[in-house]
Amino acid sequence: MRIIKYKEKGAVLLAAVTDDSKVYALPYADFIELMARADDKGETCLTIVNEIIQDSLPLDEKLEDLSLQLPINAYEVWAAGVTYSKSRDARNHEAKAIVDSYYDKVYEAERPELFLKSTERRTIGPNTPVYIRSDSNWQIPEPELGLVLNRDGKIVGYTIGNDMSSRDIEGENPLYLPQAKIWRHSCAIGPTIRLAETVTDPYNLLITCRIFREGVKVFEDSANTSLLKRKYDELVSYLIRDNQLFDGTILLTGTCIVPGDDFTLQEDDLIEIEIPGIGVLTNPVKSQVNVKV
Ligand code: DO4
Ligand code: MG
């Protein structure tokens, strides 16, 4: 069971998608309202959705014909870093590390790297442009599994995230991390949230990233979440420590795919990130120079 938001006649509507791709309207404005309803009733989101579906008819529209939007208005998106050896090796390369680096240390350490990645207004959904920074010459998408959490840190769903990153800014000095990670439209989420109870094994999800330039595929790679160095609950346990979470907080779990060291995103590239059972998160790439804000 997946939760989506779609746009129809100017309104953004919440809906549930069953495994046979039938779409049912939900009477809530956002996934966060569905979570609050589940909390009030002491039930799971899946139970609430199933109760609604039992008494209603599916929409006439097919999922592929809907204009999908950001599936949740999360106040905050957090991210874990250096949770896959692929990411550690790439950071060591960009930082020109020749001896044990902070990246080697954090990969092995008990405490994971966690950072605030994005806020509600900086986060975009599918088919909306991600922006590249004007002051960086080395930028990549980071395809990541996203955990959708409630305020107690319980994992209620899984989604896809793109942790857009500037490798030259972070490579110059890791203290520049917030600038290497956070800017306008630097975080994409979606296209759906898969309810946690309907995921058989979250440590066996294949993530695929493809990048197209002028219609030609210039990058493709896949990796499995089985390669994750840590456990999801372990990451969450550090995130909630002495912290306040809000219903719908998203925690990106780190990248297991890094394009080659000579690759940088360009304006008008198209990024696709796919996790079967969740969907394909597609975003065009734009430079901010001509963007009116
Ligand atoms: O240390 C920098 C961040 C690493 C990261 O975002 C990742 O591994 O996904
Ligand atoms: Mg990342």
Side-chain angles (χ1 to χ4, degrees):
M1 184 76 72
R2 292 177 289 170
I3 305 298
I4 57 164
K5 273 189 180 173
Y6 67 99
K7 201 173 205 172
E8 193 177 69
K9 296 182 190 139
V12 176
L13 305 166
L14 193 74
V17 183
T18 57
D19 287 348
D20 55 359
S21 293
K22 293 202 171 69
V23 184
Y24 292 83
L26 294 176
Y28 309 107
D30 193 90
F31 187 81
I32 294 173
E33 270 187 29
L34 169 63
M35 289 174 78
R37 180 75 182 141
D39 203 36
D40 284 351
K41 291 185 79 178
E43 291 176 355
T44 64
C45 292
L46 182 61
T47 309
I48 305 273
V49 169
N50 277 332
E51 281 167 9
I52 294 167
I53 283 179
Q54 261 176 16
D55 299 329
S56 45
L57 289 171
L59 304 183
D60 290 336
E61 291 98 325
K62 290 193 163 56
L63 177 60
E64 54 271 27
D65 298 332
L66 297 176
S67 161
L68 294 186
Q69 306 290 309
L70 179 65
I72 183 167
N73 286 5
Y75 299 128
E76 291 176 352
V77 178
W78 291 74
V82 197
T83 49
Y84 290 89
S85 59
K86 185 90 185 177
S87 173
R88 178 203 54 196
D89 296 347
R91 310 291 152 188
N92 276 335
H93 176 79
E94 74 207 18
K96 302 184 183 70
I98 41 172
V99 287
D100 267 11
S101 69
Y102 284 109
Y103 299 109
D104 293 308
K105 286 185 179 137
V106 84
Y107 185 71
E108 298 296 340
E110 199 173 324
R111 183 190 290 271
E113 176 193 0
L114 296 176
F115 57 93
L116 184 64
K117 167 64 191 175
S118 191
T119 53
E120 188 175 351
R121 293 189 185 189
R122 291 188 180 86
T123 308
I124 54 151
N127 304 313
T128 304
V130 286
Y131 293 159
I132 42 179
R133 286 190 71 110
S134 58
D135 58 354
S136 165
N137 294 314
W138 195 12
Q139 304 186 67
I140 54 162
E142 289 192 357
E144 305 192 10
L145 178 71
L147 312 177
V148 183
L149 306 174
N150 74 7
R151 72 182 92 113
D152 301 320
K154 181 170 175 243
I155 301 170
V156 295
Y158 296 92
T159 189
I160 301 172
N162 177 356
D163 169 22
M164 290 284 287
S165 298
S166 161
R167 294 189 69 184
D168 48 358
I169 294 179
E170 182 178 344
E172 188 178 339
N173 189 326
L175 294 179
Y176 292 148
L177 191 71
Q179 295 173 75
K181 293 291 190 180
I182 306 172
W183 61 90
R184 201 179 285 129
H185 286 215
S186 65
C187 180
I189 298 289
T192 75
I193 295 169
R194 184 159 198 108
L195 295 181
E197 305 91 309
T198 68
V199 174
T200 322
D201 182 2
Y203 295 100
N204 184 19
L205 297 174
L206 188 70
I207 306 181
T208 300
C209 178
R210 300 177 203 94
I211 304 172
F212 298 89
R213 187 163 293 163
E214 292 172 1
V216 177
K217 192 165 59 186
V218 290
F219 173 76
E220 175 166 1
D221 199 7
S222 300
N224 196 290
T225 55
S226 60
L227 298 171
L228 183 70
K229 172 83 179 349
R230 299 178 184 266
K231 294 288 172 227
Y232 301 124
D233 285 342
E234 177 192 348
L235 296 174
V236 173
S237 74
Y238 278 90
L239 182 63
I240 58 173
R241 195 179 281 193
D242 290 330
N243 192 10
Q244 180 180 13
L245 291 197
F246 308 98
D247 279 344
T249 294
I250 294 175
L251 174 58
L252 303 181
T253 52
T255 191
C256 49
I257 298 175
V258 181
D261 293 329
D262 53 355
F263 181 88
T264 188
L265 286 169
Q266 287 178 13
E267 174 143 39
D268 296 328
D269 284 354
L270 187 77
I271 305 166
E272 283 183 5
I273 305 172
E274 178 171 11
I275 301 183
I278 301 178
V280 184
L281 175 62
T282 304
N283 297 95
V285 177
K286 289 284 168 209
S287 106
Q288 301 199 44
V289 179
N290 300 316
V291 173
K292 282 203 192 113
V293 287

